[in-house]
Amino acid sequence: MAPLLSIKDLSISFPEEGKLNRVVSGNSFTVEPGELVAIVGESGSGKSVTALSILKLLPEAAKISGQVIFNGEEAVDLLELPDKLITKIRGNQIAMIFQEPMTSLNPVFTCGQQVMEAIQLHQKANKESARQKTIELFEQVKLPYPKNIIKRYPHEISGGQKQRVMIAMAMSCNPALLIADEPTTALDVTVQKTILELIKSLQQKNNMGVIFITHDLGVVADIADKILVMYKGEIVEQGISKDILQRPQHQYTKALLACRPAGQPKGKKLPVVEDFLKPDSVVHTKNSLAVIQTAHHQSTRTILDVKNLTVQFPVKRNFLGRASEFFNAVDDVSFSVKQGDIVGLVGESGCGKTTLGRAILQLLKPSSGKIILDGKDLTKINAADLRQMRRDLQIVFQDPYGSLNPRITIGKAILEPLQVHSVLSSNKQRKEKVMELMEKVNLDTDHYNRYPHQFSGGQRQRICIARALALNPSFLIFDESVSALDVSVQAQVLNLLNDLKNEFGFTAIFISHDLSVVHYICNRILVMHEGKIVEEGEASQIYFHPQNEYTRNLVNAIPGKQQTQSS
């Protein structure tokens, strides 16, 4: 039998400053019916561009050569099809799940309307039968209360639920080929595991071909039949999943496997991609595994003491507009942090991690409880004193682009807190301090006058870290600071945080949904579920010997953990 999809010598270029910039170079691969092919590589490697070219979703300016032969109802070269015919294939014979469900779903239509539209368009079904099929699909993708979800708008459901709506929409017409572009990036590990199992089960049930795009080899370790590794627009290695994961041949593949924190020893720097790709890569790899210089010294001094903290949000109001019913986002939480500790706060989305972090920093007002930092109760001090304490309290947010002002250069963004708090005596000295901070976080000082959009995600996160460190704070909160980064960039940021921790000696709470990351960088771990701390202890004890059932589920959901342990 002919392959379901056969890509031959595919090259893609975009015009840039009067020249053609090639982003995909002469790639060839096939997808068989019932086969899951994973395309793995960092951001900018050409994965998504390759996928978008299959359905002719690239801008008209793109120059594409090669063949994309699809053996659906008949064999056709998709690149040669006119727009009128390709629209009959899109969503019908070939479906696509996009990376960001919030921007892929229309915010002004309910989730049910959007799936029903696809069914009515391609299957000529009436409204009632389309509604029934949508409910069945929502049940199939394990959405809770499907009859309610069809009436909800995208902003009213969680990220994992939005992604399941996208999968239901993609599966609505029983496609022969499904393209999933980073469908689990930034999702909780437990939700991610559910989505992966769901895609695999639907693939096997419908004998469907799947192209699964990701930056993390661990994600596809348990589901892929074949893996293609892309680097700078080229497929540098491809083969059976087991061979690629256990016996990688290309240095880049080895780098992607090595820089994941899962399975890495604590107290050693993570290898980064650049180490593997240099001519003397063996020497550099050894250097990158050098033991972090400053060992953790257990301090007996408590710097933060949280006592019986509760944060409530109103969920119902009476006819006078007063709150009559509340939801406890943080429910009677107590813990302490000793000086010099990095404490991990782990849990799924909606468990209250970020709310707790923001309440500690007084960005949200708690309903009750005490937050004692350096002997002062932050819930009782006045605004002027709190403003003074802000110098010692800093946060690095999850989305670096959203937390940087797009109209201010990154140099000014780092300079601003120094000016606000009158640190140093002149702007010249402050600028020198900014340059010094940029060097510490491995940013080129020549980029002082560049704007946030001119940097990659990893660079923007380093800018936010430099800004947070500008006032030399004693206490920091990192809120999902590495969750959406490439594994290689994540390794760089984690190494950077370890180095800065040793140099600045700050105390920190590190919020994440990924236990492997938290285990690597933290001394202690707090596990949060439904607003409560359900387990706490030393990082290695929580990671290797969890006592609580919820913690065990989080550990078991770490992508590729079994693969890492077996190899």
Side-chain angles (χ1 to χ4, degrees), residues 434-453:
V434 172
M435 295 291 194
E436 184 185 321
L437 284 164
M438 288 177 70
E439 286 178 350
K440 284 191 192 305
V441 298
N442 303 323
L443 287 169
D444 194 330
T445 53
D446 291 342
H447 297 165
Y448 181 93
N449 291 316
R450 287 193 180 183
Y451 289 88
H453 73 272

Side-chain angles (χ1 to χ4, degrees), residues 112 133 155 194 388 475 503 552:
K133 178 77 185 288
H155 72 274
T194 305
Q388 283 301 311
F475 187 80
E503 183 174 345
R552 283 197 287 269

Side-chain angles (χ1 to χ4, degrees), residues 349-394:
S349 294
C351 72
K353 308 185 301 292
T354 296
T355 302
L356 175 57
R358 293 187 179 204
I360 290 169
L361 295 179
Q362 295 298 285
L363 298 174
L364 284 173
K365 286 293 177 187
S367 307
S368 63
K370 294 181 178 180
I371 302 164
I372 300 167
L373 184 77
D374 266 343
K376 295 179 182 176
D377 189 347
L378 299 184
T379 62
K380 292 182 178 176
I381 63 174
N382 59 42
D385 289 340
L386 181 61
R387 182 180 171 85
Q388 283 301 311
M389 288 196 74
R390 289 268 182 234
R391 288 184 59 164
D392 284 329
L393 300 169
Q394 292 294 320

Side-chain angles (χ1 to χ4, degrees), residues 208-420:
M208 176 177 63
V210 177
I211 296 175
F212 192 103
I213 296 169
T214 182
H215 60 256
D216 188 350
L217 272 164
V219 168
V220 294
D222 300 323
I223 64 166
D225 300 305
K226 188 164 71 180
I227 293 175
L228 282 63
V229 181
M230 284 190 76
Y231 178 62
K232 291 186 176 179
E234 293 184 17
I235 296 174
V236 295
E237 186 168 1
Q238 63 176 300
I240 296 167
S241 174
K242 190 175 178 182
D243 292 342
I244 297 288
L245 293 166
Q246 295 183 1
R247 292 179 292 278
Q249 301 301 308
H250 197 276
Q251 290 294 91
Y252 181 67
T253 314
K254 293 176 184 177
L256 288 180
L257 285 166
C259 63
R260 298 179 66 249
Q264 293 288 353
K266 282 179 72 69
K268 292 194 176 182
K269 283 196 174 183
L270 294 169
V272 294
V273 169
E274 287 76 9
D275 295 329
F276 284 81
L277 299 178
K278 289 175 181 175
D280 52 344
S281 59
V282 175
V283 176
H284 281 277
T285 303
K286 286 179 180 175
N287 288 343
S288 71
L289 289 169
V291 177
I292 294 167
Q293 293 301 312
T294 308
H296 172 65
H297 298 292
Q298 183 67 44
S299 171
T300 55
R301 178 172 173 254
T302 298
I303 193 169
L304 175 72
D305 202 5
V306 175
K307 296 180 178 179
N308 307 110
L309 190 71
T310 297
V311 182
Q312 295 180 323
F313 294 109
V315 291
K316 268 189 183 179
R317 296 183 184 273
N318 60 25
F319 68 98
L320 294 173
R322 292 174 186 157
S324 60
E325 194 175 317
F326 293 90
F327 166 68
N328 286 357
V330 177
D331 192 358
D332 196 30
V333 164
S334 299
F335 67 94
S336 60
V337 180
K338 296 194 181 297
Q339 187 174 21
D341 269 356
I342 297 186
V343 175
L345 186 57
V346 186
E348 296 174 287
S349 294
C351 72
K353 308 185 301 292
T354 296
T355 302
L356 175 57
R358 293 187 179 204
I360 290 169
L361 295 179
Q362 295 298 285
L363 298 174
L364 284 173
K365 286 293 177 187
S367 307
S368 63
K370 294 181 178 180
I371 302 164
I372 300 167
L373 184 77
D374 266 343
K376 295 179 182 176
D377 189 347
L378 299 184
T379 62
K380 292 182 178 176
I381 63 174
N382 59 42
D385 289 340
L386 181 61
R387 182 180 171 85
Q388 283 301 311
M389 288 196 74
R390 289 268 182 234
R391 288 184 59 164
D392 284 329
L393 300 169
Q394 292 294 320
I395 184 168
V396 180
F397 293 100
Q398 177 173 359
D399 177 13
Y401 193 69
S403 54
L404 289 169
N405 188 330
R407 299 175 66 183
I408 295 177
T409 64
I410 63 112
K412 286 184 179 176
I414 302 170
L415 182 75
E416 188 177 38
L418 296 171
Q419 291 174 323
V420 168

Side-chain angles (χ1 to χ4, degrees), residues 475-486:
F475 187 80
L476 278 158
I477 291 182
F478 296 94
D479 187 7
E480 299 273 16
S481 303
V482 297
S483 65
L485 301 178
D486 286 344

